[in-house]
Amino acid sequence: MPTLLEALEEKYGMEPDEKEEHVEEEVLVSIFVPKLPPRQSTPQLLILNDCNIDRAGEPEDLKKKCRIVKELDLAQNKLNNWNEVFVILSHMPRVEFVNLSLNHLTGPIQKPPVTKMDHLRNLVLNNTKLEWCSVEKLLRLLPALEELHLSLNEYTHVLIDTIEATQKANSVNGGEGSEPNASSNNNTNSGESATSQTKEDATQSSCSCSSSSSATLSASEQNAGVEEPPPLQTEPHGGVRKLHLTGNYISEWGEICRIGRVFPQLEALVLADCPLRSLKPTDPQGNESEEESHKYFQNLKLLNLSNAKIDSWEDIDRLAEFPALCNVRLQYWPLWARTDSTTEHERRQLLIARLPNISILNGGDTIGAVEREDAERSFIRHYLDKPDAERPRRYYELIGVHGQLDPLVNIDLRPERKVKVRFTFEDNSIERTVDVNRTVSDLKSRLERIFEVPAARMRLYYVDQDFRDLQGLEEMKYPHKVLYSYNIRSGDEIIIERKVKS
C-alpha cells in the first residue's frame, strides 16, 4: 500500500526539483517560469481519499511538500495507527481541517506528541470506531479545536465527563472509585505542577482501549444488561462549538449532559438518527432526575434531533427552556405519527407556538412575526375545547398575550360537488343528481342508459336558469371537459338531442 507521500507524488507528478532542472536544460527563450508549476505544487486543500494510504512516508520530503496545506482529506484510507497520523500532521504546521473518516483508528494513542497542534480547528472522525479514551487525549492535544465529528461510531454511552462531575457521581454512589482520584483532584485545586502528570497516569490506567474495556458497548451487550464502564475524567474544553454525533446508539439524555459538561461553549449539537427516548435526564438506575435538561447547554443555538424516539409533548416544552436555542430539527418522531389527525401545517403551528424562542424550524425559512402570531392564535383555539388537564402551561401564557379567543366560523367556499339538474329529451323530462367533477363523456354514458340514446349519437346543450333568455343554449361538445367548468348549479337544465344520420 502506498504512503501519503507516494500517493501525493502520483497525483501531482514528479518532484519540484526534477522539474526545475528539466526546465533549465530545455529552455531556449528567456521567459518567466513559476518556480512551482500548478501541477507540481501541493494545494492548500489536499484531497487524497480512498488511496489505500497506510503510513506517512519520508519525513523530510513530506515536510517540504505539505508545509502550506491547510485542509487535508484522508477519508477511506488504511490508516490504523495514530502515530502515523501524528507524523503526517506534524509536517503540516498550517493545517486547520482534517478528515480521517472511514479509517480504522480504534487503537489507543500511546505516546502523543509533546507539542500541541494549535491551528487544527475542524476534525472529522466519522465511522472510525474511535474509543472515548482517544477522544479525551485528542481534546488535550487540540486546544484550538472548534468542530468535532464523531458520527457513526456505534457509541451507546458518552464515556467522558468532567472531573468534578465524576467525583460527584462517585460520592452519590457511596464513594466507589473516588479514592484513586483524590490526590489528582487535590492537585488540581491547589495548582501544583504534578497535576497534568497525575491525570495522565490516571487516564492511562483507566483507559487501555482494549477490546475487554471498550469505550463503546455493542448493541447486543447493552441489551444483555452489561454495565457501562465509568466515564473518563477530563477538563472542560472551552473551544469546541460544534459537535456531530449522528447515527450513534445513545438513547438517554443523561449521556448527552456529559457532552454539555465537557463542551460548555457548545453552540451546535447534531444528534440525528440517535434513538433518544426523552430529553429528561435520568440517573444510572434509569429513574428520572430532577436535573434540568438545559442546565449544561447555556450557549446551544442549534439542535438536530431528527429520527429520535421521542413521543411526548413535554419534551417540546423542555426545548423551550434552552436559553439560547433558536434553530431545531424535530422531524420523523413517533410523536408525529400519534398526531396524524393534524396536517403538517397545523403541526408546524403547534410547534411554533410551544417554542417561543425558535426562529428556524426543520430547516425552513425564518419564522416571522405574522406567522408566529397566527400560530399562537391557532394554538389557543386548538385547546379551547380541551379539558384543563390536557391544556399545557403554554396555553395560559398565550391567553395572557392574545386574550380569550372565540372559535373560528367554519365557512366552506368550495363549489357544490353534487347538483340537481333537469334533463330533457323530446317530450320526456326528469331530474337527476349530477357529480360536477365528472366529464361530459361520463355524463353521456350515464344518460345512454336512461334515455336509450347511444352516447356517440347524443348532443347535449346546457341551459343556465338565470341566462336562458339572454344567451340561449350552450353545446357541450368537448367530451373531456369537466362539468363544473360550465358553472352548473341546482335548477339548471341540460337538453338532449339525437344526432341525425347524414
Side-chain angles (χ1 to χ4, degrees):
M1 287 182 282
T3 64
L4 183 145
L5 186 62
E6 291 169 347
L8 178 61
E9 291 176 353
E10 181 179 351
K11 184 170 183 177
Y12 293 98
M14 65 182 70
E15 296 187 13
D17 293 342
E18 296 178 6
K19 180 66 180 176
E20 288 177 22
E21 293 175 3
H22 181 70
V23 170
E24 290 175 2
E25 293 175 2
E26 298 296 331
V27 141
L28 299 177
V29 180
S30 180
I31 59 175
F32 172 76
V33 178
K35 184 178 181 181
L36 296 179
R39 286 292 299 168
Q40 302 301 320
S41 61
T42 304
Q44 291 185 347
L45 170 58
L46 181 57
I47 300 176
L48 293 173
N49 50 26
D50 199 15
C51 292
N52 291 320
I53 297 169
D54 65 342
R55 57 192 188 281
E58 182 60 35
E60 289 302 320
D61 291 341
L62 192 63
K63 183 177 181 180
K64 184 187 302 183
K65 285 180 175 288
C66 299
R67 62 184 180 274
I68 66 168
V69 173
K70 288 188 175 181
E71 299 183 40
L72 175 64
D73 187 350
L74 291 177
Q76 204 167 348
N77 280 290
K78 305 297 183 183
L79 292 167
N80 58 11
N81 188 320
W82 274 102
N83 287 336
E84 290 296 327
V85 174
F86 289 135
V87 169
I88 293 171
L89 298 182
S90 65
H91 297 306
M92 300 181 182
R94 300 183 185 180
V95 68
E96 298 177 358
F97 169 92
V98 176
N99 183 4
L100 296 170
S101 298
L102 294 164
N103 286 279
H104 195 67
L105 292 168
T106 58
I109 302 175
Q110 297 289 357
K111 296 180 180 179
V114 178
T115 57
K116 297 180 179 180
M117 290 164 278
D118 296 330
H119 291 87
L120 188 57
R121 290 182 170 85
N122 194 320
L123 182 59
V124 185
L125 297 167
N126 297 334
N127 205 357
T128 58
K129 308 303 181 285
L130 187 74
E131 297 182 356
W132 286 107
C133 56
S134 296
V135 174
E136 192 274 335
K137 288 187 178 180
L138 286 172
L139 292 177
R140 287 190 278 119
L141 292 170
L142 303 173
L145 189 64
E146 296 177 359
E147 184 168 345
L148 179 61
H149 295 247
L150 296 173
S151 300
L152 300 171
N153 282 332
E154 300 183 359
Y155 298 140
T156 58
H157 298 81
V158 177
L159 301 182
I160 184 172
D161 207 341
T162 55
I163 295 173
E164 293 78 6
T166 307
Q167 286 179 336
K168 182 178 178 181
N170 288 335
S171 64
V172 170
N173 293 330
E176 293 181 10
S178 60
E179 198 170 302
N181 300 316
S183 61
S184 174
N185 296 331
N186 291 335
N187 288 342
T188 302
N189 295 331
S190 62
E192 295 179 10
S193 59
T195 301
S196 58
Q197 183 61 39
T198 304
K199 187 170 67 175
E200 174 75 16
D201 295 339
T203 304
Q204 290 284 0
S205 61
S206 64
C207 180
S208 60
C209 286
S210 63
S211 58
S212 61
S213 61
S214 171
T216 305
L217 297 179
S218 66
S220 60
E221 288 175 325
Q222 187 184 27
N223 294 334
V226 177
E227 187 177 353
E228 62 174 285
L232 304 169
Q233 298 182 0
T234 189
E235 296 287 349
H237 193 293
V240 174
R241 300 292 194 274
K242 299 179 181 179
L243 178 66
H244 294 249
L245 284 169
T246 298
N248 287 294
Y249 304 138
I250 303 168
S251 60
E252 301 297 334
W253 188 254
E255 302 292 320
I256 304 303
C257 287
R258 294 176 180 172
I259 292 293
R261 289 192 287 267
V262 174
F263 304 117
Q265 302 301 319
L266 200 63
E267 296 178 359
L269 178 58
V270 180
L271 299 170
D273 300 325
C274 292
L276 287 164
R277 294 176 291 190
S278 175
L279 298 183
K280 184 67 176 174
T282 55
D283 59 24
Q285 286 72 38
N287 302 316
E288 286 193 356
S289 169
E290 295 301 322
E291 200 167 52
E292 295 175 324
S293 305
H294 61 278
K295 178 178 180 180
Y296 304 106
F297 299 95
Q298 298 299 305
N299 300 295
L300 193 66
K301 298 178 181 178
L302 182 151
L303 179 60
N304 187 336
L305 292 172
S306 293
N307 275 317
K309 303 300 180 184
I310 296 174
D311 192 20
S312 168
W313 283 104
E314 285 75 13
D315 285 314
I316 301 295
D317 296 333
R318 292 187 182 106
L319 284 175
E321 297 174 357
F322 284 66
L325 191 63
C326 59
N327 186 345
V328 293
R329 283 183 176 268
L330 312 173
Q331 296 165 301
Y332 314 115
W333 283 12
L335 177 61
W336 312 144
R338 188 159 59 83
T339 56
D340 56 1
S341 59
T342 61
T343 65
E344 186 174 349
H345 175 68
E346 291 170 336
R347 189 187 310 147
R348 177 178 172 86
Q349 287 188 318
L350 291 175
L351 285 170
I352 291 173
R354 281 186 182 257
L355 299 171
N357 298 324
I358 298 302
S359 57
I360 299 178
L361 176 62
N362 293 332
D365 294 333
T366 301
I367 300 170
V370 174
E371 183 182 11
R372 179 166 295 282
E373 182 176 349
D374 289 345
E376 291 174 352
R377 288 178 173 273
S378 176
F379 183 84
I380 293 173
R381 292 190 173 98
H382 178 80
Y383 284 98
L384 277 178
D385 298 329
K386 302 285 194 303
D388 287 342
E390 295 183 17
R391 290 173 175 172
R393 182 180 62 186
R394 182 64 178 160
Y395 170 82
Y396 299 100
E397 293 175 356
L398 292 177
I399 287 291
V401 175
H402 300 288
Q404 190 72 43
L405 304 180
D406 296 325
L408 292 175
V409 179
N410 187 15
I411 301 175
D412 191 354
L413 298 178
R414 293 174 298 180
E416 290 183 277
R417 180 178 176 182
K418 293 187 177 181
V419 297
K420 186 170 286 189
V421 177
R422 175 177 295 278
F423 293 94
T424 302
F425 175 64
E426 296 179 347
D427 297 330
N428 189 10
S429 183
I430 60 173
E431 282 190 351
R432 288 288 188 272
T433 300
V434 176
D435 187 342
V436 297
N437 290 317
R438 293 182 176 275
T439 63
V440 173
S441 178
D442 293 335
L443 180 60
K444 284 184 177 181
S445 298
R446 182 181 176 188
L447 295 174
E448 183 179 32
R449 296 190 296 271
I450 298 174
F451 296 104
E452 297 182 354
V453 178
R457 301 279 309 280
M458 190 183 297
R459 278 199 178 95
L460 302 182
Y461 296 92
Y462 167 60
V463 182
D464 190 313
Q465 58 187 319
D466 295 329
F467 300 99
R468 178 187 296 269
D469 298 329
L470 294 177
Q471 64 184 29
L473 308 180
E474 180 181 357
E475 184 175 358
M476 304 168 74
K477 62 174 68 174
Y478 303 107
H480 298 296
K481 191 171 182 178
V482 185
L483 296 178
Y484 66 71
S485 62
Y486 290 95
N487 294 319
I488 297 178
R489 296 169 297 149
S490 294
D492 290 345
E493 182 181 8
I494 293 179
I495 298 174
I496 304 163
E497 284 188 358
R498 187 194 303 268
K499 292 181 181 177
V500 181
K501 292 183 178 179
S502 56

